[in-house]
Amino acid sequence: MFLNKNLLKIKLKLMVSSLCFLGLLPAHAGIVNLGTQGSVNLASASDYTFAAIASEYGELGSFSVGVEAKIFGNVAANNSLIIGSNVSINGNACSNYVAKSPGTVISGDVGLNGDCANVLTTLGTDIKNASAQAQALTGLAIDNIAQSVTLSASQSQVFFTDELFLETGEFLTISGSQNDGMLVNVRGLASIGSGAGIRLTGGILANNVIFNFLDNDTATNFIIGAAELQGTFLSGSRSYQLGDGATLNGTRFLTTDSILGNVQTVIGLTDTIPVPEPHTSLFLLPLAWLLFRTKKSNNTATVL
């Protein structure tokens, strides 16, 4: 009996190590190390696949997800969480206001219950602080990323660029070892079109790659088509618009604005291990972007 228990413990440790290697488990409790150039601490935000936490209500702090999406990981939005029909969320769905359509399945806690209690304020602070930490680091300034290019951790682990604008057939490749991290601060326009994307090579883990979108009066969003993405997408000010058909295998989307997601299967960077299933095309939830609650209680949530 004693031997069997020890063997079981060894097997479990090997399984966890393997999952960390794949980038599916957080290795340093939300801290992304960038070598001698510093680090970024995502803190509680590292536990979420989608988080839209604003300091004010209205359209900010909302997450709207289209029909038949499959999301692996926790989601949060302090203002409103609008969920299309037949959506499955393998994790918690935390919000002051949750609107569930028919066929919605959520495996974890909902609203402000259980693990969702008292998390939203801290989560918003952690997102804002992480974005500010990333912006404050010293890095290598590079030209606009407007065509296929490779950024190597051997050159720098922190980059600054004015634009991230990729169209069909254009890919940004992030190169590094499994021990490396990479941060790309984007000052201006941010858009990745259908058939374009971000790829990792050399063993670098998606969990250790961050794209931080800086505050900009004219570039206020990050738009994604049917693109191929990996890594954490972070902002202290911008909204995200995710289009149909994107390949989101090992991603986080964290912002203090709002997220509109016409997504399909989304595999997060949390401790949820997914088994993807076939999916159908998705359509945006009609008028979801307009459905918000402005009167909130500090202790209760509305769940429809």
Side-chain angles (χ1 to χ4, degrees), residues 136-167:
L137 295 178
T138 300
L140 180 64
I142 58 174
D143 293 336
N144 293 343
I145 301 173
Q147 60 184 353
S148 292
V149 66
T150 297
L151 300 182
S152 175
S154 63
Q155 184 181 19
S156 178
Q157 290 183 261
V158 179
F159 292 89
F160 283 81
T161 185
D162 286 335
E163 292 186 2
L164 172 60
F165 184 77
L166 297 175
E167 298 181 303

PDB file of all heavy atoms in Angstrom, residues 136-167:
ATOM      1  N   ALA A 136       6.743  50.162 -17.981  1.00  0.00           N
ATOM      2  CA  ALA A 136       7.859  50.839 -17.308  1.00  0.00           C
ATOM      3  C   ALA A 136       9.211  50.180 -17.547  1.00  0.00           C
ATOM      4  O   ALA A 136      10.255  50.779 -17.263  1.00  0.00           O
ATOM      5  CB  ALA A 136       7.581  50.893 -15.806  1.00  0.00           C
ATOM      6  N   LEU A 137       9.222  48.975 -18.085  1.00  0.00           N
ATOM      7  CA  LEU A 137      10.481  48.273 -18.304  1.00  0.00           C
ATOM      8  C   LEU A 137      11.258  48.885 -19.465  1.00  0.00           C
ATOM      9  O   LEU A 137      10.683  49.450 -20.401  1.00  0.00           O
ATOM     10  CB  LEU A 137      10.221  46.789 -18.573  1.00  0.00           C
ATOM     11  CG  LEU A 137       9.611  45.990 -17.416  1.00  0.00           C
ATOM     12  CD1 LEU A 137       9.370  44.549 -17.833  1.00  0.00           C
ATOM     13  CD2 LEU A 137      10.506  46.044 -16.178  1.00  0.00           C
ATOM     14  N   THR A 138      12.559  48.753 -19.411  1.00  0.00           N
ATOM     15  CA  THR A 138      13.418  49.223 -20.493  1.00  0.00           C
ATOM     16  C   THR A 138      13.559  48.127 -21.530  1.00  0.00           C
ATOM     17  O   THR A 138      13.823  46.964 -21.200  1.00  0.00           O
ATOM     18  CB  THR A 138      14.809  49.591 -19.954  1.00  0.00           C
ATOM     19  OG1 THR A 138      14.669  50.633 -18.985  1.00  0.00           O
ATOM     20  CG2 THR A 138      15.719  50.064 -21.075  1.00  0.00           C
ATOM     21  N   GLY A 139      13.343  48.484 -22.788  1.00  0.00           N
ATOM     22  CA  GLY A 139      13.407  47.474 -23.836  1.00  0.00           C
ATOM     23  C   GLY A 139      13.985  48.016 -25.132  1.00  0.00           C
ATOM     24  O   GLY A 139      14.395  49.183 -25.221  1.00  0.00           O
ATOM     25  N   LEU A 140      14.005  47.170 -26.134  1.00  0.00           N
ATOM     26  CA  LEU A 140      14.553  47.502 -27.447  1.00  0.00           C
ATOM     27  C   LEU A 140      13.449  48.048 -28.347  1.00  0.00           C
ATOM     28  O   LEU A 140      12.427  47.387 -28.551  1.00  0.00           O
ATOM     29  CB  LEU A 140      15.168  46.256 -28.069  1.00  0.00           C
ATOM     30  CG  LEU A 140      15.789  46.409 -29.461  1.00  0.00           C
ATOM     31  CD1 LEU A 140      16.990  47.365 -29.417  1.00  0.00           C
ATOM     32  CD2 LEU A 140      16.223  45.047 -30.004  1.00  0.00           C
ATOM     33  N   ALA A 141      13.641  49.248 -28.873  1.00  0.00           N
ATOM     34  CA  ALA A 141      12.686  49.843 -29.799  1.00  0.00           C
ATOM     35  C   ALA A 141      12.898  49.261 -31.201  1.00  0.00           C
ATOM     36  O   ALA A 141      14.031  49.196 -31.687  1.00  0.00           O
ATOM     37  CB  ALA A 141      12.841  51.354 -29.832  1.00  0.00           C
ATOM     38  N   ILE A 142      11.807  48.831 -31.822  1.00  0.00           N
ATOM     39  CA  ILE A 142      11.897  48.241 -33.157  1.00  0.00           C
ATOM     40  C   ILE A 142      10.892  48.917 -34.085  1.00  0.00           C
ATOM     41  O   ILE A 142      10.002  49.644 -33.639  1.00  0.00           O
ATOM     42  CB  ILE A 142      11.616  46.716 -33.122  1.00  0.00           C
ATOM     43  CG1 ILE A 142      10.231  46.445 -32.531  1.00  0.00           C
ATOM     44  CG2 ILE A 142      12.700  46.004 -32.321  1.00  0.00           C
ATOM     45  CD1 ILE A 142       9.819  44.977 -32.602  1.00  0.00           C
ATOM     46  N   ASP A 143      11.042  48.679 -35.386  1.00  0.00           N
ATOM     47  CA  ASP A 143      10.123  49.223 -36.375  1.00  0.00           C
ATOM     48  C   ASP A 143       8.726  48.635 -36.178  1.00  0.00           C
ATOM     49  O   ASP A 143       8.535  47.640 -35.473  1.00  0.00           O
ATOM     50  CB  ASP A 143      10.614  48.903 -37.792  1.00  0.00           C
ATOM     51  CG  ASP A 143      11.900  49.634 -38.134  1.00  0.00           C
ATOM     52  OD1 ASP A 143      12.171  50.693 -37.516  1.00  0.00           O
ATOM     53  OD2 ASP A 143      12.652  49.146 -39.006  1.00  0.00           O
ATOM     54  N   ASN A 144       7.766  49.241 -36.856  1.00  0.00           N
ATOM     55  CA  ASN A 144       6.413  48.707 -36.830  1.00  0.00           C
ATOM     56  C   ASN A 144       6.413  47.242 -37.256  1.00  0.00           C
ATOM     57  O   ASN A 144       7.119  46.846 -38.190  1.00  0.00           O
ATOM     58  CB  ASN A 144       5.506  49.491 -37.782  1.00  0.00           C
ATOM     59  CG  ASN A 144       5.294  50.918 -37.330  1.00  0.00           C
ATOM     60  OD1 ASN A 144       5.550  51.251 -36.171  1.00  0.00           O
ATOM     61  ND2 ASN A 144       4.834  51.765 -38.228  1.00  0.00           N
ATOM     62  N   ILE A 145       5.613  46.437 -36.590  1.00  0.00           N
ATOM     63  CA  ILE A 145       5.457  45.034 -36.983  1.00  0.00           C
ATOM     64  C   ILE A 145       4.314  44.985 -37.989  1.00  0.00           C
ATOM     65  O   ILE A 145       3.128  44.911 -37.631  1.00  0.00           O
ATOM     66  CB  ILE A 145       5.174  44.144 -35.759  1.00  0.00           C
ATOM     67  CG1 ILE A 145       6.324  44.265 -34.758  1.00  0.00           C
ATOM     68  CG2 ILE A 145       4.968  42.696 -36.180  1.00  0.00           C
ATOM     69  CD1 ILE A 145       6.072  43.556 -33.437  1.00  0.00           C
ATOM     70  N   ALA A 146       4.657  45.091 -39.262  1.00  0.00           N
ATOM     71  CA  ALA A 146       3.662  45.186 -40.323  1.00  0.00           C
ATOM     72  C   ALA A 146       3.914  44.171 -41.435  1.00  0.00           C
ATOM     73  O   ALA A 146       3.376  44.288 -42.529  1.00  0.00           O
ATOM     74  CB  ALA A 146       3.639  46.599 -40.888  1.00  0.00           C
ATOM     75  N   GLN A 147       4.760  43.211 -41.151  1.00  0.00           N
ATOM     76  CA  GLN A 147       5.048  42.117 -42.071  1.00  0.00           C
ATOM     77  C   GLN A 147       5.626  40.974 -41.252  1.00  0.00           C
ATOM     78  O   GLN A 147       5.873  41.113 -40.058  1.00  0.00           O
ATOM     79  CB  GLN A 147       6.033  42.552 -43.141  1.00  0.00           C
ATOM     80  CG  GLN A 147       7.373  43.010 -42.583  1.00  0.00           C
ATOM     81  CD  GLN A 147       8.303  43.524 -43.662  1.00  0.00           C
ATOM     82  OE1 GLN A 147       8.011  43.436 -44.843  1.00  0.00           O
ATOM     83  NE2 GLN A 147       9.441  44.065 -43.248  1.00  0.00           N
ATOM     84  N   SER A 148       5.834  39.821 -41.884  1.00  0.00           N
ATOM     85  CA  SER A 148       6.387  38.685 -41.156  1.00  0.00           C
ATOM     86  C   SER A 148       7.761  39.022 -40.597  1.00  0.00           C
ATOM     87  O   SER A 148       8.623  39.539 -41.311  1.00  0.00           O
ATOM     88  CB  SER A 148       6.489  37.467 -42.076  1.00  0.00           C
ATOM     89  OG  SER A 148       5.201  37.002 -42.427  1.00  0.00           O
ATOM     90  N   VAL A 149       7.940  38.748 -39.322  1.00  0.00           N
ATOM     91  CA  VAL A 149       9.198  39.067 -38.659  1.00  0.00           C
ATOM     92  C   VAL A 149       9.363  38.133 -37.464  1.00  0.00           C
ATOM     93  O   VAL A 149       8.379  37.618 -36.927  1.00  0.00           O
ATOM     94  CB  VAL A 149       9.224  40.555 -38.211  1.00  0.00           C
ATOM     95  CG1 VAL A 149       8.190  40.807 -37.135  1.00  0.00           C
ATOM     96  CG2 VAL A 149      10.606  40.971 -37.750  1.00  0.00           C
ATOM     97  N   THR A 150      10.622  37.927 -37.047  1.00  0.00           N
ATOM     98  CA  THR A 150      10.917  37.112 -35.867  1.00  0.00           C
ATOM     99  C   THR A 150      11.563  37.983 -34.799  1.00  0.00           C
ATOM    100  O   THR A 150      12.503  38.729 -35.081  1.00  0.00           O
ATOM    101  CB  THR A 150      11.858  35.947 -36.224  1.00  0.00           C
ATOM    102  OG1 THR A 150      11.213  35.078 -37.164  1.00  0.00           O
ATOM    103  CG2 THR A 150      12.225  35.143 -34.975  1.00  0.00           C
ATOM    104  N   LEU A 151      11.049  37.879 -33.581  1.00  0.00           N
ATOM    105  CA  LEU A 151      11.677  38.521 -32.428  1.00  0.00           C
ATOM    106  C   LEU A 151      12.299  37.430 -31.580  1.00  0.00           C
ATOM    107  O   LEU A 151      11.626  36.470 -31.194  1.00  0.00           O
ATOM    108  CB  LEU A 151      10.638  39.296 -31.605  1.00  0.00           C
ATOM    109  CG  LEU A 151       9.894  40.426 -32.320  1.00  0.00           C
ATOM    110  CD1 LEU A 151       8.950  41.125 -31.348  1.00  0.00           C
ATOM    111  CD2 LEU A 151      10.870  41.429 -32.931  1.00  0.00           C
ATOM    112  N   SER A 152      13.583  37.588 -31.272  1.00  0.00           N
ATOM    113  CA  SER A 152      14.318  36.558 -30.553  1.00  0.00           C
ATOM    114  C   SER A 152      14.666  37.006 -29.141  1.00  0.00           C
ATOM    115  O   SER A 152      15.134  38.133 -28.933  1.00  0.00           O
ATOM    116  CB  SER A 152      15.602  36.194 -31.303  1.00  0.00           C
ATOM    117  OG  SER A 152      16.370  35.278 -30.553  1.00  0.00           O
ATOM    118  N   ALA A 153      14.453  36.127 -28.183  1.00  0.00           N
ATOM    119  CA  ALA A 153      14.795  36.425 -26.802  1.00  0.00           C
ATOM    120  C   ALA A 153      16.296  36.583 -26.613  1.00  0.00           C
ATOM    121  O   ALA A 153      16.742  37.188 -25.632  1.00  0.00           O
ATOM    122  CB  ALA A 153      14.263  35.335 -25.879  1.00  0.00           C
ATOM    123  N   SER A 154      17.092  36.054 -27.528  1.00  0.00           N
ATOM    124  CA  SER A 154      18.540  36.215 -27.439  1.00  0.00           C
ATOM    125  C   SER A 154      18.948  37.653 -27.750  1.00  0.00           C
ATOM    126  O   SER A 154      20.028  38.103 -27.368  1.00  0.00           O
ATOM    127  CB  SER A 154      19.237  35.257 -28.406  1.00  0.00           C
ATOM    128  OG  SER A 154      18.891  35.557 -29.755  1.00  0.00           O
ATOM    129  N   GLN A 155      18.081  38.386 -28.430  1.00  0.00           N
ATOM    130  CA  GLN A 155      18.337  39.785 -28.755  1.00  0.00           C
ATOM    131  C   GLN A 155      17.839  40.705 -27.640  1.00  0.00           C
ATOM    132  O   GLN A 155      18.528  41.633 -27.217  1.00  0.00           O
ATOM    133  CB  GLN A 155      17.649  40.150 -30.071  1.00  0.00           C
ATOM    134  CG  GLN A 155      17.920  41.555 -30.561  1.00  0.00           C
ATOM    135  CD  GLN A 155      17.194  41.851 -31.864  1.00  0.00           C
ATOM    136  OE1 GLN A 155      16.236  41.163 -32.230  1.00  0.00           O
ATOM    137  NE2 GLN A 155      17.639  42.872 -32.576  1.00  0.00           N
ATOM    138  N   SER A 156      16.642  40.456 -27.175  1.00  0.00           N
ATOM    139  CA  SER A 156      16.041  41.194 -26.071  1.00  0.00           C
ATOM    140  C   SER A 156      14.806  40.434 -25.625  1.00  0.00           C
ATOM    141  O   SER A 156      14.198  39.686 -26.414  1.00  0.00           O
ATOM    142  CB  SER A 156      15.657  42.619 -26.507  1.00  0.00           C
ATOM    143  OG  SER A 156      15.035  43.318 -25.433  1.00  0.00           O
ATOM    144  N   GLN A 157      14.425  40.609 -24.360  1.00  0.00           N
ATOM    145  CA  GLN A 157      13.196  39.993 -23.882  1.00  0.00           C
ATOM    146  C   GLN A 157      12.090  41.018 -23.668  1.00  0.00           C
ATOM    147  O   GLN A 157      10.978  40.659 -23.292  1.00  0.00           O
ATOM    148  CB  GLN A 157      13.463  39.199 -22.592  1.00  0.00           C
ATOM    149  CG  GLN A 157      14.296  37.944 -22.846  1.00  0.00           C
ATOM    150  CD  GLN A 157      14.516  37.104 -21.611  1.00  0.00           C
ATOM    151  OE1 GLN A 157      15.566  37.181 -20.990  1.00  0.00           O
ATOM    152  NE2 GLN A 157      13.532  36.307 -21.232  1.00  0.00           N
ATOM    153  N   VAL A 158      12.409  42.291 -23.970  1.00  0.00           N
ATOM    154  CA  VAL A 158      11.420  43.364 -23.914  1.00  0.00           C
ATOM    155  C   VAL A 158      11.559  44.206 -25.176  1.00  0.00           C
ATOM    156  O   VAL A 158      12.660  44.686 -25.492  1.00  0.00           O
ATOM    157  CB  VAL A 158      11.603  44.250 -22.672  1.00  0.00           C
ATOM    158  CG1 VAL A 158      10.564  45.362 -22.655  1.00  0.00           C
ATOM    159  CG2 VAL A 158      11.510  43.420 -21.395  1.00  0.00           C
ATOM    160  N   PHE A 159      10.453  44.381 -25.892  1.00  0.00           N
ATOM    161  CA  PHE A 159      10.452  45.170 -27.125  1.00  0.00           C
ATOM    162  C   PHE A 159       9.378  46.250 -27.048  1.00  0.00           C
ATOM    163  O   PHE A 159       8.341  46.076 -26.395  1.00  0.00           O
ATOM    164  CB  PHE A 159      10.173  44.281 -28.338  1.00  0.00           C
ATOM    165  CG  PHE A 159      11.267  43.300 -28.655  1.00  0.00           C
ATOM    166  CD1 PHE A 159      11.264  42.034 -28.076  1.00  0.00           C
ATOM    167  CD2 PHE A 159      12.289  43.628 -29.533  1.00  0.00           C
ATOM    168  CE1 PHE A 159      12.263  41.114 -28.358  1.00  0.00           C
ATOM    169  CE2 PHE A 159      13.302  42.716 -29.828  1.00  0.00           C
ATOM    170  CZ  PHE A 159      13.286  41.459 -29.235  1.00  0.00           C
ATOM    171  N   PHE A 160       9.618  47.356 -27.754  1.00  0.00           N
ATOM    172  CA  PHE A 160       8.622  48.406 -27.942  1.00  0.00           C
ATOM    173  C   PHE A 160       8.437  48.622 -29.446  1.00  0.00           C
ATOM    174  O   PHE A 160       9.425  48.737 -30.180  1.00  0.00           O
ATOM    175  CB  PHE A 160       9.071  49.723 -27.303  1.00  0.00           C
ATOM    176  CG  PHE A 160       8.927  49.769 -25.811  1.00  0.00           C
ATOM    177  CD1 PHE A 160       9.889  49.194 -24.993  1.00  0.00           C
ATOM    178  CD2 PHE A 160       7.830  50.382 -25.222  1.00  0.00           C
ATOM    179  CE1 PHE A 160       9.768  49.233 -23.608  1.00  0.00           C
ATOM    180  CE2 PHE A 160       7.697  50.427 -23.836  1.00  0.00           C
ATOM    181  CZ  PHE A 160       8.664  49.853 -23.028  1.00  0.00           C
ATOM    182  N   THR A 161       7.181  48.696 -29.877  1.00  0.00           N
ATOM    183  CA  THR A 161       6.891  48.988 -31.275  1.00  0.00           C
ATOM    184  C   THR A 161       5.704  49.938 -31.344  1.00  0.00           C
ATOM    185  O   THR A 161       4.839  49.942 -30.456  1.00  0.00           O
ATOM    186  CB  THR A 161       6.601  47.710 -32.080  1.00  0.00           C
ATOM    187  OG1 THR A 161       6.445  48.037 -33.468  1.00  0.00           O
ATOM    188  CG2 THR A 161       5.331  47.014 -31.586  1.00  0.00           C
ATOM    189  N   ASP A 162       5.645  50.751 -32.403  1.00  0.00           N
ATOM    190  CA  ASP A 162       4.532  51.688 -32.535  1.00  0.00           C
ATOM    191  C   ASP A 162       3.271  51.007 -33.059  1.00  0.00           C
ATOM    192  O   ASP A 162       2.160  51.425 -32.717  1.00  0.00           O
ATOM    193  CB  ASP A 162       4.919  52.842 -33.470  1.00  0.00           C
ATOM    194  CG  ASP A 162       5.878  53.812 -32.810  1.00  0.00           C
ATOM    195  OD1 ASP A 162       5.882  53.888 -31.567  1.00  0.00           O
ATOM    196  OD2 ASP A 162       6.641  54.476 -33.530  1.00  0.00           O
ATOM    197  N   GLU A 163       3.425  49.952 -33.898  1.00  0.00           N
ATOM    198  CA  GLU A 163       2.257  49.305 -34.475  1.00  0.00           C
ATOM    199  C   GLU A 163       2.446  47.802 -34.558  1.00  0.00           C
ATOM    200  O   GLU A 163       3.559  47.311 -34.805  1.00  0.00           O
ATOM    201  CB  GLU A 163       1.959  49.833 -35.883  1.00  0.00           C
ATOM    202  CG  GLU A 163       1.495  51.275 -35.923  1.00  0.00           C
ATOM    203  CD  GLU A 163       1.084  51.712 -37.322  1.00  0.00           C
ATOM    204  OE1 GLU A 163       1.134  50.876 -38.258  1.00  0.00           O
ATOM    205  OE2 GLU A 163       0.713  52.884 -37.497  1.00  0.00           O
ATOM    206  N   LEU A 164       1.355  47.086 -34.362  1.00  0.00           N
ATOM    207  CA  LEU A 164       1.278  45.648 -34.628  1.00  0.00           C
ATOM    208  C   LEU A 164       0.136  45.472 -35.608  1.00  0.00           C
ATOM    209  O   LEU A 164      -1.038  45.512 -35.237  1.00  0.00           O
ATOM    210  CB  LEU A 164       1.025  44.868 -33.336  1.00  0.00           C
ATOM    211  CG  LEU A 164       0.730  43.366 -33.479  1.00  0.00           C
ATOM    212  CD1 LEU A 164       1.895  42.638 -34.137  1.00  0.00           C
ATOM    213  CD2 LEU A 164       0.400  42.752 -32.129  1.00  0.00           C
ATOM    214  N   PHE A 165       0.475  45.322 -36.882  1.00  0.00           N
ATOM    215  CA  PHE A 165      -0.548  45.290 -37.929  1.00  0.00           C
ATOM    216  C   PHE A 165      -0.186  44.190 -38.926  1.00  0.00           C
ATOM    217  O   PHE A 165       0.678  44.366 -39.780  1.00  0.00           O
ATOM    218  CB  PHE A 165      -0.637  46.648 -38.637  1.00  0.00           C
ATOM    219  CG  PHE A 165      -1.735  46.731 -39.655  1.00  0.00           C
ATOM    220  CD1 PHE A 165      -3.054  46.900 -39.264  1.00  0.00           C
ATOM    221  CD2 PHE A 165      -1.451  46.625 -41.012  1.00  0.00           C
ATOM    222  CE1 PHE A 165      -4.071  46.970 -40.207  1.00  0.00           C
ATOM    223  CE2 PHE A 165      -2.450  46.693 -41.961  1.00  0.00           C
ATOM    224  CZ  PHE A 165      -3.773  46.867 -41.561  1.00  0.00           C
ATOM    225  N   LEU A 166      -0.852  43.039 -38.794  1.00  0.00           N
ATOM    226  CA  LEU A 166      -0.553  41.888 -39.641  1.00  0.00           C
ATOM    227  C   LEU A 166      -1.773  41.525 -40.476  1.00  0.00           C
ATOM    228  O   LEU A 166      -2.897  41.472 -39.966  1.00  0.00           O
ATOM    229  CB  LEU A 166      -0.140  40.693 -38.779  1.00  0.00           C
ATOM    230  CG  LEU A 166       1.134  40.872 -37.944  1.00  0.00           C
ATOM    231  CD1 LEU A 166       1.352  39.661 -37.046  1.00  0.00           C
ATOM    232  CD2 LEU A 166       2.343  41.099 -38.845  1.00  0.00           C
ATOM    233  N   GLU A 167      -1.526  41.263 -41.762  1.00  0.00           N
ATOM    234  CA  GLU A 167      -2.586  40.869 -42.676  1.00  0.00           C
ATOM    235  C   GLU A 167      -2.373  39.419 -43.121  1.00  0.00           C
ATOM    236  O   GLU A 167      -1.409  38.772 -42.714  1.00  0.00           O
ATOM    237  CB  GLU A 167      -2.616  41.825 -43.867  1.00  0.00           C
ATOM    238  CG  GLU A 167      -2.931  43.266 -43.460  1.00  0.00           C
ATOM    239  CD  GLU A 167      -2.984  44.213 -44.643  1.00  0.00           C
ATOM    240  OE1 GLU A 167      -1.971  44.302 -45.377  1.00  0.00           O
ATOM    241  OE2 GLU A 167      -4.021  44.860 -44.827  1.00  0.00           O
TER     242      GLU A 167
END
